[in-house]
Amino acid sequence: MAYEAVRIHITGVVQGVGFRPYVYNLAMRHKVSGWVANDGSGVELVAEGWQAAVDGFVAAIRQQAPPLAVIESLTVTPCEPGNYAGFQIRTSVTGQAKTALISPDVATCAHCRGELLEPTDRRYRYPFINCTNCGPRYTIIQDIPYDRRKTTMREFAMCPACQAEYDDPASRRFHAQPNACPVCGPAYVLLDREGRELKPQGQDPPAMAARLIAQGSILAIKGLGGYHLAVNARDEAAVAHLRQRKVREDKPFAVMAGSLAAIQKHCLASAAEVELLTSAAGPIVLLAKGACYDLASSIAPGNPYIGVMLPYAPVHYLLLKAEDVWVMTSGNLADEPIAYQDEDARRRLSAIADYYLIHNRAIHCRADDSVIRIVQDKPYFIRRSRGYVPAPVNLSRELPAVLAVGAELKNTFCLIRGRQAFLSSHTGDLENLPTYQSYLAAIEHLKNLLAVTPEVVAYDLHPEYLSTKYAVALALPGVPVQHHHAHIAAVMAEHHLTGPVIGLAFDGTGYGPDGSLWGGEFLVADLRQYRRAGHLAYMPLPGGAKAIREPWRLAVCLLKELYGQDFAALDIPLTRNLPPGWELVLAAAEKGINTPQTSGAGRLFDAVAALLGIRLQINYEGQAAVELELAARGFRGQVLPYAIQESNGLLVFDYKPLVMTICQGIRRGIACGQLAADFHTTLAAATCEITLRISRVTGLKSVALSGGVFQNITLLTQIIGMLGQYDFSLYLHRQSPPNDGGLALGQAVIAGERSN
Amino acid sequence: MYKAPERILLGHGSGGRLSHDLIKHFILPAFANPVLSELHDGARLTIDGARLAFSTDSYVVKPRFFPGGDIGKLAVCGTVNDLAMCGAEPLYLSAGFIVEEGLPAGELQQIIASMQSAALAAGVAIVTGDTKVVEKGAVDGLYINTAGIGRILPGVDIDARRVKPGQTVIVSGYLGDHAIAVMSERHGLTLPAQIVSDCAPLNKLVRELLTAVPAAVTMLRDPTRGGLATTLNEIAADAGVGIILEENAVPVRPEVQAVCEILGFDPLYLANEGKVIVIVEKEYNEQVLAIMRQNALAGSACIIGTVTEKPPGQVALKTMVGGLRLVDMLAGEQLPRIC
Ligand SMILES: [Fe+3]
Ligand SMILES: [Mg+2]
Ligand SMILES: [Zn+2]
Ligand SMILES: [Zn+2]
């Protein structure tokens, strides 16, 4: 039998996931010698031995991989034998192409959990326990290749015991870069408001922190990707207190439960939801409240859903007992970004937190908790961040290096490298100065981690987006991309569609090339071009952004249009109690003072919510639409009258008959929930009819759905149900959010295709 | 990268980012000279040892008469104020009229009288002029151009390059009055309370200030078109500094605030015609405020913010709840950015 040698190169998520020890152990088992090392693009190894042994070894690598690894390519080339004595793990080779994939952060694995709670283990109750299968990754990485000295763990020199594990190929902690223990690693301390350290007798800081929560205190807890603010979710007074201090009136809080059993006590969780909750990413999952739900009512007021997650960092297991449920909301004030730097957190959270549970390992990259709901048994992102970033979206073909700068709110940006699109973690609202600054820093950081030098910058058409202004000022060729085209292209990219498709892009408002604000759009789009084929009728937005915060303005304008000057005599709750200033608002709308026109579907939801008296002013983005959807629950909607006008080859959804019928319904005393359900069903029916008519003319059968309005599951499932009766292929977002958090992906792909 | 527009749009005259780009990429390169490149409200010149300020401005306001003023008063005050912002005592003005055929002669007479009384109030003389009449439709009624020269006060050096972190931003009074007064008149709106333009000559106020404490003041600007936000952005960009404003310190009349709430305007972006932003060395804060408040035009002068190192070239507002909101220069008009 021949003695042979091969050189193997593997790319994908293969660094920081225990790949080299796994290769080492395989080499031992198959009796091959050689070496393995990380390089800038993945893992490189040389194996030599008798032909059968080498073949078996290569086959084993192809067949199985460590749990967190994702192999994207594996190439085997024969080489000269080096007559190695044994198999060696070599230190990382630097200076190579930096194209290795960085793993997202991973929730604490079952092994580590066991050790954490085992009194005889040397890491008993050690809140930084981790191994090659779990622990921090993206949030601590400063540079690549992934190596301890390029993470924020470099501050901590390993003790002999940790070093021995790190060097032992048989150990689960072999080359686990964040490896640490109570002797050598980072530690938590508990501080009071004034920054004085509390040193509880016979208790560790997490145990003491848990007691303070039980007593009703608000704690700021430094975790993996930032700070949380925590209170006991069963303590109504504490939750109300947190709301008030955080200046957050109605927006629901997410909770963390100590165990799956605790979640199932309060919420309904399907198999797909349980799988997501317990996944390595550990996101917040939106669940329906169950019959026995009894958490503080101010957590998610009036909302049948609640965002729930399980412990994902070791400290969470020390804080929450199995039956505990805590509010765990991002550590910030109102619309600010989540705090992740200690000084900053202490300053910004001082008016909110009673105590701080902090540690001395720096968070290099901020990462908010991801938020997902299950739609049709598959994950549907609301916010994509910790646990998912920086995993790429794989594209159908290679594209030029593009930086796409994203939208204004819920901003994420995107970088393309080859066949992969890297969507950044949730940045937030750019108008906020700290957010804007972290946005600039995050762009530079991701460019560096991916070793990408953008050749093209893609941005939204909206001239006032701060992202647009940033992009235009760069010394790069720019590709402006229409907002809704980008939304649709994001879905297309995820599903490797090259188009053309019928795109339904429903959101609040996005800049249209005609200077109006689009947002209820039927596009015929491919990855380069689009054509507007239909839209919702325009309505005035008197006061601009003010009208988005005060939906009553839209309702009053609609009433005036429908009923003329006499609308105020119409006997419905809204006209009985018109908000002050309504005459001036109408005058402004009539004269076009600060009154853009919009076809935004989100605005139609707002107007109807106000007409029904559900919400006249909002306290968080999308609130009126959320509450209109909630009102419709439990009612079977009917299709009310509507019209579709054809003008200049465009199909326009004319909702005047619908709004008029709703007004009549209100006067006849029909339940608000019934009318809310009818609204959803009618909008779905009109959407379906317009889609069918476009399909008839174009022959297109693929339909992509995107935009923030499709976070409305009632509308989404009705449209899917109606279109499902025809032979359409429907495509939803599965890897990026339908809201503006996914916009950059679409911008990037369009710009890439256009400059290809 | 800058892309030249195919056509000039209204937005290019809005005073925001588009106007800036137009000036930067079309006008400056053509006329390039060291005086122009300073891009102040007026040019600062030295002629035979005399330090002079020279400025021009055209007025196209609609409507021509509004509560608190008219196009004539505006044309005089505007140029007087531009000269004052250079640290100068305005001396002589020119007046050019472009009149649409058919304009009632009485109206023109009234406007000219208003110009004369504004010139008297400011202590300047209108010493030269020009009149053109164009056919109906070529202009909208009446446009006025004024230019003026003045003498820069001794010991005074108003220059963005002197604006440094730690200095204080002071404004002479309530913001937005002029814009709301003109807008309500233009559209015939019925407002809850009458709002009067603040149109006034600021040269006496500036003279009092600069004579008392010439070294205290590093920068003067009148926040006209584009308002406080745009003017401060220009200062921040020119000086390479940041400016942090305190939301609860920015003076806005309750009645103006109320109208802004309803119409969705941000008072920070509304035009003023009788207000001055003064940037001063911190140790002079109280002295400057005391001097300003003695003048009837600045009775409500107050500190609204500070010059900071970061963010360079940007302006931010510390909000009531404690957040920091970027107050950017608008590219065009205020359009919702919420999706
Ligand atoms: Fe959008
Ligand atoms: Mg001027
Ligand atoms: Zn582990
Ligand atoms: Zn150790």
Coordinates of all heavy atoms in Angstrom, one line a residue, chain A residues 97-133:
Chain A
A97 N -4.8 36.0 3.2 CA -6.1 36.7 2.9 C -7.0 36.5 4.1 O -7.1 35.4 4.6 CB -6.7 36.0 1.7
K98 N -7.7 37.6 4.5 CA -8.5 37.5 5.7 C -10.0 37.2 5.3 O -10.8 38.1 5.2 CB -8.5 38.8 6.5 CG -7.1 39.1 7.0 CD -7.1 40.1 8.2 CE -7.1 41.5 7.8 NZ -7.1 42.5 8.9
T99 N -10.2 36.0 4.9 CA -11.5 35.7 4.5 C -12.2 34.6 5.3 O -13.3 34.1 4.9 CB -11.5 35.2 3.0 OG1 -10.6 34.1 2.9 CG2 -11.1 36.3 2.1
A100 N -11.6 34.2 6.4 CA -12.3 33.2 7.3 C -13.6 33.8 7.8 O -13.7 35.0 8.0 CB -11.4 32.8 8.4
L101 N -14.5 32.9 8.1 CA -15.8 33.4 8.6 C -15.7 33.4 10.1 O -15.2 32.5 10.7 CB -16.9 32.5 8.2 CG -17.3 32.6 6.7 CD1 -18.4 31.7 6.4 CD2 -17.6 34.0 6.3
I102 N -16.2 34.5 10.7 CA -16.2 34.6 12.2 C -17.6 34.0 12.7 O -18.6 34.3 12.2 CB -16.1 36.0 12.6 CG1 -14.7 36.5 12.2 CG2 -16.3 36.2 14.1 CD1 -14.5 38.0 12.3
S103 N -17.5 33.2 13.8 CA -18.7 32.7 14.3 C -19.5 33.7 15.1 O -18.9 34.6 15.8 CB -18.3 31.5 15.3 OG -19.4 31.2 16.1
P104 N -20.8 33.7 15.0 CA -21.6 34.5 16.0 C -21.4 34.0 17.4 O -20.8 32.9 17.6 CB -23.0 34.3 15.5 CG -22.9 33.6 14.2 CD -21.6 32.9 14.1
D105 N -21.8 34.8 18.4 CA -21.8 34.3 19.8 C -22.7 33.1 19.9 O -23.8 33.0 19.3 CB -22.2 35.4 20.7 CG -21.3 36.6 20.5 OD1 -20.2 36.6 21.0 OD2 -21.7 37.6 19.8
V106 N -22.3 32.2 20.8 CA -23.1 31.0 21.0 C -23.5 30.8 22.4 O -22.8 31.0 23.4 CB -22.2 29.8 20.6 CG1 -23.0 28.5 20.7 CG2 -21.6 30.0 19.2
A107 N -24.8 30.4 22.6 CA -25.3 30.2 23.9 C -24.6 29.1 24.7 O -24.1 28.1 24.0 CB -26.8 29.9 23.8
T108 N -24.5 29.2 26.0 CA -23.8 28.2 26.8 C -24.3 26.8 26.5 O -25.5 26.5 26.5 CB -24.0 28.5 28.3 OG1 -23.7 29.9 28.5 CG2 -23.2 27.6 29.2
C109 N -23.3 25.9 26.3 CA -23.7 24.5 25.9 C -24.1 23.7 27.1 O -23.8 24.0 28.2 CB -22.6 23.8 25.1 SG -21.2 23.3 26.1
A110 N -24.6 22.5 26.9 CA -25.1 21.7 27.9 C -24.0 21.2 28.8 O -24.1 21.2 30.1 CB -25.9 20.5 27.4
H111 N -22.8 20.9 28.3 CA -21.7 20.5 29.1 C -21.3 21.6 30.0 O -21.0 21.3 31.2 CB -20.5 20.2 28.1 CG -20.4 18.8 27.6 ND1 -20.7 18.5 26.3 CD2 -20.1 17.6 28.2 CE1 -20.6 17.2 26.1 NE2 -20.2 16.7 27.3
C112 N -21.1 22.8 29.5 CA -20.7 23.9 30.4 C -21.8 24.2 31.4 O -21.4 24.5 32.6 CB -20.4 25.1 29.5 SG -18.9 25.0 28.6
R113 N -23.0 24.1 31.1 CA -24.1 24.3 32.0 C -24.0 23.3 33.2 O -24.1 23.7 34.3 CB -25.5 24.1 31.4 CG -26.0 25.4 30.8 CD -27.3 25.4 30.2 NE -27.9 24.1 29.8 CZ -28.3 23.8 28.5 NH1 -27.9 24.7 27.5 NH2 -28.9 22.7 28.2
G114 N -23.7 22.0 32.8 CA -23.5 21.0 33.9 C -22.4 21.4 34.8 O -22.6 21.3 36.0
E115 N -21.3 21.7 34.2 CA -20.1 22.1 35.1 C -20.4 23.3 36.0 O -20.0 23.4 37.1 CB -18.9 22.4 34.2 CG -18.3 21.1 33.6 CD -17.4 21.4 32.4 OE1 -17.2 22.6 32.0 OE2 -16.8 20.5 31.9
L116 N -21.1 24.3 35.4 CA -21.4 25.5 36.1 C -22.1 25.3 37.4 O -22.0 26.0 38.4 CB -22.2 26.4 35.1 CG -22.7 27.8 35.7 CD1 -21.5 28.7 35.8 CD2 -23.7 28.4 34.7
L117 N -23.0 24.3 37.3 CA -23.9 24.0 38.5 C -23.4 22.8 39.3 O -24.1 22.4 40.2 CB -25.3 23.9 38.0 CG -25.9 25.0 37.2 CD1 -27.2 24.8 36.6 CD2 -25.9 26.3 38.1
E118 N -22.2 22.3 39.0 CA -21.7 21.2 39.7 C -20.7 21.7 40.8 O -19.6 22.1 40.5 CB -21.0 20.3 38.7 CG -20.1 19.2 39.3 CD -20.9 18.3 40.3 OE1 -21.9 17.8 40.0 OE2 -20.4 18.2 41.5
P119 N -21.1 21.5 42.1 CA -20.3 22.1 43.2 C -18.8 21.6 43.2 O -18.0 22.3 43.7 CB -21.0 21.6 44.5 CG -22.4 21.4 44.0 CD -22.3 20.9 42.6
T120 N -18.6 20.4 42.7 CA -17.2 20.0 42.7 C -16.3 20.4 41.6 O -15.1 20.3 41.6 CB -17.2 18.4 42.8 OG1 -17.8 17.9 41.6 CG2 -17.9 17.9 44.0
D121 N -17.0 21.0 40.6 CA -16.2 21.5 39.4 C -15.4 22.7 39.7 O -15.9 23.5 40.5 CB -17.2 21.7 38.2 CG -16.4 21.9 36.9 OD1 -15.9 23.0 36.6 OD2 -16.3 20.9 36.2
R122 N -14.2 22.8 39.1 CA -13.4 24.0 39.5 C -14.0 25.3 38.9 O -13.6 26.4 39.2 CB -12.0 23.8 39.0 CG -11.7 23.9 37.6 CD -10.2 23.6 37.3 NE -9.9 23.9 35.9 CZ -9.4 25.1 35.5 NH1 -9.2 26.0 36.4 NH2 -9.1 25.3 34.3
R123 N -15.0 25.2 38.0 CA -15.7 26.4 37.5 C -17.1 26.5 38.0 O -18.0 27.1 37.4 CB -15.7 26.3 36.0 CG -14.4 26.6 35.3 CD -14.5 26.8 33.9 NE -13.2 27.0 33.2 CZ -12.4 26.1 32.8 NH1 -12.8 24.8 33.0 NH2 -11.2 26.3 32.3
Y124 N -17.3 25.8 39.2 CA -18.7 25.9 39.8 C -19.0 27.4 40.0 O -18.3 28.2 40.5 CB -18.6 25.2 41.2 CG -19.9 25.3 42.0 CD1 -21.1 24.9 41.4 CD2 -19.9 25.8 43.3 CE1 -22.3 25.0 42.1 CE2 -21.1 26.0 44.0 CZ -22.3 25.6 43.4 OH -23.5 25.7 44.1
R125 N -20.2 27.8 39.5 CA -20.7 29.2 39.5 C -19.7 30.2 38.9 O -19.7 31.3 39.4 CB -21.0 29.5 41.0 CG -22.2 28.8 41.5 CD -22.7 29.3 42.8 NE -23.3 30.6 42.8 CZ -24.5 30.9 42.3 NH1 -25.3 30.0 41.9 NH2 -24.9 32.2 42.3
Y126 N -18.9 29.8 37.9 CA -18.1 30.7 37.3 C -18.7 31.3 36.1 O -19.0 30.6 35.1 CB -16.7 30.1 36.9 CG -15.8 31.1 36.3 CD1 -15.4 32.3 37.0 CD2 -15.3 31.0 35.0 CE1 -14.7 33.3 36.4 CE2 -14.5 32.0 34.4 CZ -14.2 33.1 35.1 OH -13.4 34.1 34.5
P127 N -19.1 32.6 36.1 CA -20.0 33.2 35.1 C -19.3 33.4 33.7 O -20.0 33.9 32.8 CB -20.4 34.5 35.6 CG -19.5 34.8 36.8 CD -18.8 33.5 37.2
F128 N -18.1 32.9 33.5 CA -17.5 33.1 32.2 C -17.1 31.7 31.6 O -16.2 31.6 30.7 CB -16.3 34.0 32.3 CG -16.7 35.4 32.7 CD1 -16.7 35.8 34.0 CD2 -17.1 36.3 31.7 CE1 -17.1 37.0 34.4 CE2 -17.5 37.6 32.1 CZ -17.5 37.9 33.4
I129 N -17.7 30.7 32.1 CA -17.4 29.3 31.6 C -17.7 29.2 30.1 O -18.7 29.8 29.7 CB -18.1 28.3 32.5 CG1 -17.7 26.9 32.1 CG2 -19.6 28.4 32.3 CD1 -18.2 25.8 33.1
N130 N -16.9 28.6 29.4 CA -17.2 28.4 27.9 C -16.3 27.3 27.4 O -15.4 26.8 28.1 CB -16.9 29.7 27.2 CG -15.4 30.0 27.1 OD1 -14.7 29.5 26.3 ND2 -15.0 30.9 28.1
C131 N -16.5 26.8 26.2 CA -15.7 25.8 25.6 C -15.7 26.0 24.1 O -16.3 27.0 23.6 CB -16.1 24.4 26.0 SG -17.7 23.9 25.2
T132 N -15.1 25.1 23.3 CA -15.1 25.3 21.9 C -16.5 25.2 21.3 O -16.7 25.6 20.1 CB -14.2 24.3 21.2 OG1 -14.4 23.0 21.7 CG2 -12.7 24.7 21.4
N133 N -17.4 24.7 22.0 CA -18.8 24.6 21.5 C -19.7 25.8 21.9 O -20.8 25.8 21.5 CB -19.4 23.3 22.0 CG -18.6 22.1 21.5 OD1 -18.1 22.1 20.4 ND2 -18.5 21.1 22.3

